[in-house]
């Protein structure tokens, strides 16, 4: 399972399934799963980029950063969907919410916690 | 030349002198005007064995190695002092191509060894003809201090455990043989760990070729202990709380030199010029200025040659504060005496003491400045929280669950380096994670820091810093049997080595401590079975009978050994921290141990440099 690392550094979308496969061959289920997640994430980021209000592109961001970005844009629903999709623990999700709300000085929202 | 290297039993000045001699020989063999070009990694080590005026006497310029270089026309020789790395060769090739002219020759001095790969690379690029001498400078161990030698190979641990490159081990073995050549045969050898074993096997092999080692008298060193970094991965990751350790962690000490922004030392220009030891520092500064274009920076030499630093370096930081306060008071008192001098005699003696006092004052002001800087850092919440988390792991509190503190750090997207350090620390303390916990961390890390983090993690796994749980819980067991954590720790005037991490005693240092006791190693053997790698011991007795020659002189010195202070060479394969050095020095200072240490390491590491070298791909 050493050589798949070499491919990984390319970091290209097309390579992801390949890397995922080699990981699962090397019996690294978590890593394989994460690769699949990332592939899905890239797809989702693309659909976002195509939206009219997309703003700056989110591609290349990690799952965490993507969710942060979504929250910053106020797309709570999307972010929550991502949370269940990628099994983000509650704890981290609340951190994100708190940080983004504080960033936008949305104190009234913060009070509700 | 280097007064701070002198000591009674094992005089490391010998090592420095022999290294210097080799360099001079090589240089003198090259005729004509010359310039020396230094590899970045060699600037520091060169400063450890030579003084700038050595080159000035011979009117040789020193230049740092850069990809693009032009040399003045009149130079007929260009000497490179480099590490044997293929990547560097390409730079040299470029130099040769742009700078070659009639009658000019290029020379390379490889430190510590010539590598076939490098020479092949030069051949392939068809520039071999331009090179005159391709020699080696066998500098394996470089003297850092009166009791510390280092190979200055930062990536030794990484090379061996991740890349499978055992050059560093071989170098260490050659270094050991060199040391024995200078200081005589080492009769007793103990060791633990795979890499340590490899080093010793190499060294033995090399020594067989060199029969004189066996036939000579027992040397100045009585015992060798080889310790593998792999047996104790917790200590290098933990925050050091000694003065020197903290300086290293925050600002980095490179080959005894500490570079800080000059603004923190308001008065140094004025005071500097009046002191004697500052001359050394100034010489170093000059060479620094020659070699790099740092702006307003102050370089301090840190070694035991300076009285105050020798006193402070190994203390817990909390004690350092007090000591500095006391020093300042002392100086004040001495200065105040001035105003109430009565007799001429007294004034005279006072004036005689002036330079010494000024020196003291300068040293104190420097160190108060440094201590002040560190103090600021220590006050930060992040530092204290990290430290608290660390210490919880060390006492094995909630060690099998994923730590909520680490989770918070990840969620806040804090520095990856620190997060990984804490995770590895937890792993080391728990002797491996449960599968579920490990996967949880991996998932979290990849979510937050992106998929690339998996590469880093796989490096850590290969280096043995992250792994799934094993049967034995080595750390938890040893914590009890060897008292790695002490409940009632004293940071001021400590009685136990655990003060270096406030209450945790580095395993390596503890092992050494136990091995000093009578039959210590025998009783240790069973206890450290849980640690990875073999435990071994060996004896190098004078060989009798080969060619009818006698070793001679072996037995009488062995009997007197009981009375004299034993000298123990501790070799850390894969680097050691300042905290560990401090712990060993502390042991040596205890009267009843009756021992003196010489510490050899591949490189002095700290939590940052160690992890970075392992993380990088």
């Amino acid at each position: 399972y050493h050589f798949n690392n070499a491919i990984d550094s390319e970091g290209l979308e097309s390579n992801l399934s390949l890397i995922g496969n080699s990981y699962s061959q090397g019996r690294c289920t978590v890593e394989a799963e994460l690769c699949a997640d990332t592939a899905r994430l890239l797809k989702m980021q693309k659909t976002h980029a195509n939206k009219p209000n997309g703003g700056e592109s989110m591609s290349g961001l990690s799952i965490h950063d993507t969710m942060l970005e979504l929250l910053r844009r106020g797309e709570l629903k999307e972010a929550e969907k991502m949370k269940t999709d990628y099994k983000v623990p509650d704890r981290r999700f609340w951190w994100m919410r708190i940080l983004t709300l504080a960033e936008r000085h949305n104190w009234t929202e913060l009070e509700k916690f | 030349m280097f007064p701070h290297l002198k000591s009674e039993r094992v005089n490391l000045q010998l090592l420095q002198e022999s290294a210097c001699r080799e360099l001079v020989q090589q240089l003198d063999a090259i005729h004509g005007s010359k310039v020396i070009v230094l590899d970045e990694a060699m600037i520091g080590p060169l400063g450890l064995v030579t003084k700038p005026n050595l080159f000035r006497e011979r009117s040789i310029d020193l230049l740092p190695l850069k990809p693009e270089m032009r040399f003045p026309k009149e130079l007929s020789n260009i000497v490179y002092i480099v590490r044997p790395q293929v990547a560097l060769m390409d730079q040299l090739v470029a130099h040769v191509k742009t700078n070659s002219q009639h009658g000019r020759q290029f020379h390379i001095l490889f430190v510590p060894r010539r590598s076939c790969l490098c020479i092949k690379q030069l051949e392939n690029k068809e520039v071999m003809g331009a090179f005159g001498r391709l020699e080696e400078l066998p500098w394996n161990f470089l003297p850092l201090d009166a009791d510390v030698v280092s190979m200055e190979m930062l990536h030794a641990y990484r090379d061996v455990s991740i890349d499978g490159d055992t050059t560093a081990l071989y170098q260490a073995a050659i270094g050991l043989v060199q040391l024995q050549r200078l200081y005589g045969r080492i009769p007793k050898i103990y060791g633990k760990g795979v890499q340590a074993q490899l080093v010793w096997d190499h060294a033995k092999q090399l020594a067989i070729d060199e029969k004189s080692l066996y036939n000579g008298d027992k040397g100045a060193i009585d015992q060798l202990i080889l310790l593998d970094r792999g047996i104790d991965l917790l200590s290098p990751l933990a925050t050091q709380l000694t003065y020197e350790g903290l300086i290293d962690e925050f600002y980095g000490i490179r080959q005894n030199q500490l570079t800080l922004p000059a603004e923190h030392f308001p008065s140094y220009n004025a005071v500097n010029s009046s002191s004697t030891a500052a001359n050394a520092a100034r010489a170093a500064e000059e060479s620094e200025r020659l070699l790099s274009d740092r702006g307003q920076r102050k370089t301090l030499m840190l070694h035991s040659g300076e009285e105050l630093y020798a006193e402070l370096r190994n203390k817990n930081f909390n004690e350092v504060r007090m000591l500095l306060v006391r020093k300042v008071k002392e100086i004040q008192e001495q200065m105040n005496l001035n105003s109430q001098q009565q007799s001429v005699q007294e004034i005279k003696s006072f004036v005689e003491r002036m330079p010494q006092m000024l020196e003291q004052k300068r040293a104190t002001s420097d160190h108060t400045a440094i201590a002040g800087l560190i103090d600021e850092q220590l006050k930060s919440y992040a530092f204290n929280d990290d430290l608290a988390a660390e210490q919880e792991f060390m006492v094995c509190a909630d060690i099998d669950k994923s730590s909520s503190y680490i989770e918070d750090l990840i969620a806040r997207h804090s520095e990856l380096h620190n997060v990984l350090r804490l995770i590895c620390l937890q792993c080391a303390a728990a002797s491996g994670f449960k599968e579920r916990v490990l996967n949880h961390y991996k998932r979290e890390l990849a979510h937050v820091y992106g998929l690339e983090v998996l590469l880093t993690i796989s490096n850590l796994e290969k280096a043995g810093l992250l792994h799934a749980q094993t049967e034995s819980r080595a750390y938890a067991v040893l914590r009890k049997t060897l008292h790695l954590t002490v409940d009632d720790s004293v940071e001021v005037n400590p009685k136990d080595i655990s003060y270096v991490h406030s209450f945790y005693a580095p395993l390596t240092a503890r092992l050494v401590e136990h091995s000093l006791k009578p039959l210590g190693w025998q009783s240790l053997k069973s206890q450290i079975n849980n640690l990875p790698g073999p435990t071994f011991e060996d004896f190098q007795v004078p060989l009798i009978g080969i060619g009818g020659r006698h070793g001679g002189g072996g037995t009488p010195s062995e009997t007197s050994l009981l009375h004299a202070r034993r000298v123990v060479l501790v070799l850390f394969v894969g680097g050691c921290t300042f905290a560990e050095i401090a712990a060993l020095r502390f042991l040596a200072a205890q009267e009843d141990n009756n021992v003196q240490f010489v510490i050899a390491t591949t490189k002095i590491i700290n939590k940052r440099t160690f992890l970075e070298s392992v993380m990088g791909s």
Side-chain angles (χ1 to χ4, degrees), chain B residues 241-260:
Chain B
L241 293 171
T242 58
Y243 184 51
E244 191 167 31
L246 281 169
I247 297 179
D248 189 31
E249 277 177 12
F250 287 126
Y251 302 106
I253 299 176
R254 289 168 54 233
Q255 288 93 24
N256 284 345
Q257 289 178 17
L258 171 71
T259 313
L260 289 170

PDB file of all heavy atoms in Angstrom, chain B residues 241-260:
ATOM      1  N   LEU B 241      10.418  21.396  29.573  1.00  0.00           N
ATOM      2  CA  LEU B 241      10.252  22.532  30.469  1.00  0.00           C
ATOM      3  C   LEU B 241      11.568  23.003  31.062  1.00  0.00           C
ATOM      4  O   LEU B 241      11.587  23.768  32.011  1.00  0.00           O
ATOM      5  CB  LEU B 241       9.251  22.188  31.572  1.00  0.00           C
ATOM      6  CG  LEU B 241       7.839  21.994  31.021  1.00  0.00           C
ATOM      7  CD1 LEU B 241       6.919  21.446  32.069  1.00  0.00           C
ATOM      8  CD2 LEU B 241       7.279  23.303  30.488  1.00  0.00           C
ATOM      9  N   THR B 242      12.662  22.554  30.502  1.00  0.00           N
ATOM     10  CA  THR B 242      13.929  23.120  30.927  1.00  0.00           C
ATOM     11  C   THR B 242      14.170  24.395  30.135  1.00  0.00           C
ATOM     12  O   THR B 242      13.577  24.600  29.076  1.00  0.00           O
ATOM     13  CB  THR B 242      15.102  22.169  30.666  1.00  0.00           C
ATOM     14  OG1 THR B 242      15.131  21.880  29.269  1.00  0.00           O
ATOM     15  CG2 THR B 242      14.942  20.886  31.431  1.00  0.00           C
ATOM     16  N   TYR B 243      15.056  25.209  30.659  1.00  0.00           N
ATOM     17  CA  TYR B 243      15.323  26.489  30.009  1.00  0.00           C
ATOM     18  C   TYR B 243      15.790  26.274  28.567  1.00  0.00           C
ATOM     19  O   TYR B 243      15.223  26.813  27.619  1.00  0.00           O
ATOM     20  CB  TYR B 243      16.384  27.220  30.825  1.00  0.00           C
ATOM     21  CG  TYR B 243      16.710  28.605  30.355  1.00  0.00           C
ATOM     22  CD1 TYR B 243      15.706  29.527  30.137  1.00  0.00           C
ATOM     23  CD2 TYR B 243      18.022  28.982  30.150  1.00  0.00           C
ATOM     24  CE1 TYR B 243      16.009  30.802  29.716  1.00  0.00           C
ATOM     25  CE2 TYR B 243      18.333  30.255  29.738  1.00  0.00           C
ATOM     26  CZ  TYR B 243      17.331  31.166  29.515  1.00  0.00           C
ATOM     27  OH  TYR B 243      17.640  32.415  29.099  1.00  0.00           O
ATOM     28  N   GLU B 244      16.803  25.432  28.439  1.00  0.00           N
ATOM     29  CA  GLU B 244      17.359  25.207  27.116  1.00  0.00           C
ATOM     30  C   GLU B 244      16.326  24.581  26.183  1.00  0.00           C
ATOM     31  O   GLU B 244      16.196  24.952  25.013  1.00  0.00           O
ATOM     32  CB  GLU B 244      18.569  24.279  27.233  1.00  0.00           C
ATOM     33  CG  GLU B 244      19.374  24.188  25.985  1.00  0.00           C
ATOM     34  CD  GLU B 244      20.709  23.512  26.246  1.00  0.00           C
ATOM     35  OE1 GLU B 244      20.782  22.642  27.135  1.00  0.00           O
ATOM     36  OE2 GLU B 244      21.664  23.863  25.579  1.00  0.00           O
ATOM     37  N   GLY B 245      15.579  23.627  26.722  1.00  0.00           N
ATOM     38  CA  GLY B 245      14.558  22.967  25.924  1.00  0.00           C
ATOM     39  C   GLY B 245      13.526  23.945  25.409  1.00  0.00           C
ATOM     40  O   GLY B 245      13.123  23.905  24.247  1.00  0.00           O
ATOM     41  N   LEU B 246      13.115  24.855  26.268  1.00  0.00           N
ATOM     42  CA  LEU B 246      12.111  25.839  25.858  1.00  0.00           C
ATOM     43  C   LEU B 246      12.668  26.788  24.803  1.00  0.00           C
ATOM     44  O   LEU B 246      11.987  27.113  23.833  1.00  0.00           O
ATOM     45  CB  LEU B 246      11.640  26.646  27.077  1.00  0.00           C
ATOM     46  CG  LEU B 246      10.616  25.932  27.947  1.00  0.00           C
ATOM     47  CD1 LEU B 246      10.424  26.669  29.251  1.00  0.00           C
ATOM     48  CD2 LEU B 246       9.289  25.819  27.222  1.00  0.00           C
ATOM     49  N   ILE B 247      13.894  27.213  25.001  1.00  0.00           N
ATOM     50  CA  ILE B 247      14.491  28.092  23.990  1.00  0.00           C
ATOM     51  C   ILE B 247      14.486  27.386  22.655  1.00  0.00           C
ATOM     52  O   ILE B 247      14.123  27.946  21.620  1.00  0.00           O
ATOM     53  CB  ILE B 247      15.939  28.461  24.363  1.00  0.00           C
ATOM     54  CG1 ILE B 247      15.981  29.239  25.665  1.00  0.00           C
ATOM     55  CG2 ILE B 247      16.577  29.300  23.258  1.00  0.00           C
ATOM     56  CD1 ILE B 247      17.378  29.608  26.089  1.00  0.00           C
ATOM     57  N   ASP B 248      14.869  26.110  22.692  1.00  0.00           N
ATOM     58  CA  ASP B 248      14.943  25.354  21.449  1.00  0.00           C
ATOM     59  C   ASP B 248      13.571  25.217  20.809  1.00  0.00           C
ATOM     60  O   ASP B 248      13.410  25.350  19.608  1.00  0.00           O
ATOM     61  CB  ASP B 248      15.551  23.984  21.727  1.00  0.00           C
ATOM     62  CG  ASP B 248      15.855  23.227  20.457  1.00  0.00           C
ATOM     63  OD1 ASP B 248      16.161  23.894  19.454  1.00  0.00           O
ATOM     64  OD2 ASP B 248      15.780  21.997  20.453  1.00  0.00           O
ATOM     65  N   GLU B 249      12.566  24.978  21.637  1.00  0.00           N
ATOM     66  CA  GLU B 249      11.248  24.757  21.062  1.00  0.00           C
ATOM     67  C   GLU B 249      10.668  26.026  20.458  1.00  0.00           C
ATOM     68  O   GLU B 249      10.015  25.985  19.427  1.00  0.00           O
ATOM     69  CB  GLU B 249      10.305  24.185  22.117  1.00  0.00           C
ATOM     70  CG  GLU B 249      10.493  22.688  22.232  1.00  0.00           C
ATOM     71  CD  GLU B 249       9.647  22.050  23.290  1.00  0.00           C
ATOM     72  OE1 GLU B 249       8.731  22.713  23.807  1.00  0.00           O
ATOM     73  OE2 GLU B 249       9.902  20.887  23.594  1.00  0.00           O
ATOM     74  N   PHE B 250      10.902  27.138  21.111  1.00  0.00           N
ATOM     75  CA  PHE B 250      10.308  28.369  20.590  1.00  0.00           C
ATOM     76  C   PHE B 250      11.143  29.010  19.494  1.00  0.00           C
ATOM     77  O   PHE B 250      10.611  29.510  18.520  1.00  0.00           O
ATOM     78  CB  PHE B 250      10.091  29.371  21.716  1.00  0.00           C
ATOM     79  CG  PHE B 250       8.964  28.999  22.621  1.00  0.00           C
ATOM     80  CD1 PHE B 250       9.149  28.894  23.976  1.00  0.00           C
ATOM     81  CD2 PHE B 250       7.704  28.740  22.097  1.00  0.00           C
ATOM     82  CE1 PHE B 250       8.093  28.544  24.809  1.00  0.00           C
ATOM     83  CE2 PHE B 250       6.653  28.372  22.912  1.00  0.00           C
ATOM     84  CZ  PHE B 250       6.849  28.277  24.280  1.00  0.00           C
ATOM     85  N   TYR B 251      12.453  28.988  19.671  1.00  0.00           N
ATOM     86  CA  TYR B 251      13.267  29.752  18.727  1.00  0.00           C
ATOM     87  C   TYR B 251      14.250  28.912  17.938  1.00  0.00           C
ATOM     88  O   TYR B 251      14.778  29.368  16.938  1.00  0.00           O
ATOM     89  CB  TYR B 251      14.014  30.855  19.474  1.00  0.00           C
ATOM     90  CG  TYR B 251      13.070  31.763  20.189  1.00  0.00           C
ATOM     91  CD1 TYR B 251      12.931  31.702  21.559  1.00  0.00           C
ATOM     92  CD2 TYR B 251      12.258  32.632  19.467  1.00  0.00           C
ATOM     93  CE1 TYR B 251      12.017  32.514  22.216  1.00  0.00           C
ATOM     94  CE2 TYR B 251      11.358  33.441  20.114  1.00  0.00           C
ATOM     95  CZ  TYR B 251      11.238  33.382  21.485  1.00  0.00           C
ATOM     96  OH  TYR B 251      10.334  34.174  22.107  1.00  0.00           O
ATOM     97  N   GLY B 252      14.499  27.698  18.415  1.00  0.00           N
ATOM     98  CA  GLY B 252      15.393  26.822  17.671  1.00  0.00           C
ATOM     99  C   GLY B 252      16.845  27.159  17.915  1.00  0.00           C
ATOM    100  O   GLY B 252      17.295  28.264  17.652  1.00  0.00           O
ATOM    101  N   ILE B 253      17.568  26.211  18.467  1.00  0.00           N
ATOM    102  CA  ILE B 253      19.003  26.404  18.649  1.00  0.00           C
ATOM    103  C   ILE B 253      19.693  25.599  17.564  1.00  0.00           C
ATOM    104  O   ILE B 253      19.502  24.397  17.472  1.00  0.00           O
ATOM    105  CB  ILE B 253      19.464  25.896  20.030  1.00  0.00           C
ATOM    106  CG1 ILE B 253      18.753  26.666  21.128  1.00  0.00           C
ATOM    107  CG2 ILE B 253      20.964  26.021  20.161  1.00  0.00           C
ATOM    108  CD1 ILE B 253      19.070  26.156  22.512  1.00  0.00           C
ATOM    109  N   ARG B 254      20.455  26.295  16.744  1.00  0.00           N
ATOM    110  CA  ARG B 254      21.144  25.569  15.691  1.00  0.00           C
ATOM    111  C   ARG B 254      22.629  25.579  15.976  1.00  0.00           C
ATOM    112  O   ARG B 254      23.252  26.626  15.995  1.00  0.00           O
ATOM    113  CB  ARG B 254      20.863  26.201  14.329  1.00  0.00           C
ATOM    114  CG  ARG B 254      19.436  25.951  13.877  1.00  0.00           C
ATOM    115  CD  ARG B 254      19.081  26.804  12.680  1.00  0.00           C
ATOM    116  NE  ARG B 254      20.029  26.640  11.592  1.00  0.00           N
ATOM    117  CZ  ARG B 254      20.649  27.654  11.007  1.00  0.00           C
ATOM    118  NH1 ARG B 254      20.451  28.874  11.420  1.00  0.00           N
ATOM    119  NH2 ARG B 254      21.464  27.432  10.007  1.00  0.00           N
ATOM    120  N   GLN B 255      23.164  24.405  16.182  1.00  0.00           N
ATOM    121  CA  GLN B 255      24.585  24.267  16.465  1.00  0.00           C
ATOM    122  C   GLN B 255      25.040  25.297  17.486  1.00  0.00           C
ATOM    123  O   GLN B 255      25.933  26.090  17.226  1.00  0.00           O
ATOM    124  CB  GLN B 255      25.409  24.407  15.172  1.00  0.00           C
ATOM    125  CG  GLN B 255      25.279  23.238  14.247  1.00  0.00           C
ATOM    126  CD  GLN B 255      24.191  23.450  13.222  1.00  0.00           C
ATOM    127  OE1 GLN B 255      23.851  24.584  12.914  1.00  0.00           O
ATOM    128  NE2 GLN B 255      23.620  22.390  12.702  1.00  0.00           N
ATOM    129  N   ASN B 256      24.395  25.264  18.621  1.00  0.00           N
ATOM    130  CA  ASN B 256      24.748  26.151  19.730  1.00  0.00           C
ATOM    131  C   ASN B 256      24.371  27.603  19.493  1.00  0.00           C
ATOM    132  O   ASN B 256      24.591  28.442  20.344  1.00  0.00           O
ATOM    133  CB  ASN B 256      26.256  26.126  20.025  1.00  0.00           C
ATOM    134  CG  ASN B 256      26.642  24.871  20.754  1.00  0.00           C
ATOM    135  OD1 ASN B 256      25.775  24.189  21.271  1.00  0.00           O
ATOM    136  ND2 ASN B 256      27.912  24.590  20.779  1.00  0.00           N
ATOM    137  N   GLN B 257      23.845  27.918  18.345  1.00  0.00           N
ATOM    138  CA  GLN B 257      23.580  29.322  18.081  1.00  0.00           C
ATOM    139  C   GLN B 257      22.099  29.608  18.152  1.00  0.00           C
ATOM    140  O   GLN B 257      21.282  28.857  17.656  1.00  0.00           O
ATOM    141  CB  GLN B 257      24.075  29.706  16.685  1.00  0.00           C
ATOM    142  CG  GLN B 257      25.573  29.744  16.612  1.00  0.00           C
ATOM    143  CD  GLN B 257      26.031  30.065  15.213  1.00  0.00           C
ATOM    144  OE1 GLN B 257      25.256  30.542  14.403  1.00  0.00           O
ATOM    145  NE2 GLN B 257      27.276  29.762  14.947  1.00  0.00           N
ATOM    146  N   LEU B 258      21.800  30.681  18.808  1.00  0.00           N
ATOM    147  CA  LEU B 258      20.427  31.115  18.898  1.00  0.00           C
ATOM    148  C   LEU B 258      20.331  32.468  18.222  1.00  0.00           C
ATOM    149  O   LEU B 258      21.103  33.362  18.510  1.00  0.00           O
ATOM    150  CB  LEU B 258      20.014  31.218  20.371  1.00  0.00           C
ATOM    151  CG  LEU B 258      18.674  31.872  20.656  1.00  0.00           C
ATOM    152  CD1 LEU B 258      17.551  30.954  20.218  1.00  0.00           C
ATOM    153  CD2 LEU B 258      18.549  32.162  22.133  1.00  0.00           C
ATOM    154  N   THR B 259      19.396  32.579  17.316  1.00  0.00           N
ATOM    155  CA  THR B 259      19.253  33.846  16.623  1.00  0.00           C
ATOM    156  C   THR B 259      17.910  34.455  16.968  1.00  0.00           C
ATOM    157  O   THR B 259      16.873  33.822  16.820  1.00  0.00           O
ATOM    158  CB  THR B 259      19.349  33.633  15.107  1.00  0.00           C
ATOM    159  OG1 THR B 259      20.469  32.812  14.850  1.00  0.00           O
ATOM    160  CG2 THR B 259      19.499  34.941  14.390  1.00  0.00           C
ATOM    161  N   LEU B 260      17.953  35.648  17.442  1.00  0.00           N
ATOM    162  CA  LEU B 260      16.731  36.341  17.841  1.00  0.00           C
ATOM    163  C   LEU B 260      16.746  37.745  17.256  1.00  0.00           C
ATOM    164  O   LEU B 260      17.811  38.291  16.987  1.00  0.00           O
ATOM    165  CB  LEU B 260      16.658  36.456  19.364  1.00  0.00           C
ATOM    166  CG  LEU B 260      16.401  35.172  20.140  1.00  0.00           C
ATOM    167  CD1 LEU B 260      16.605  35.414  21.607  1.00  0.00           C
ATOM    168  CD2 LEU B 260      15.007  34.665  19.880  1.00  0.00           C
TER     169      LEU B 260
END
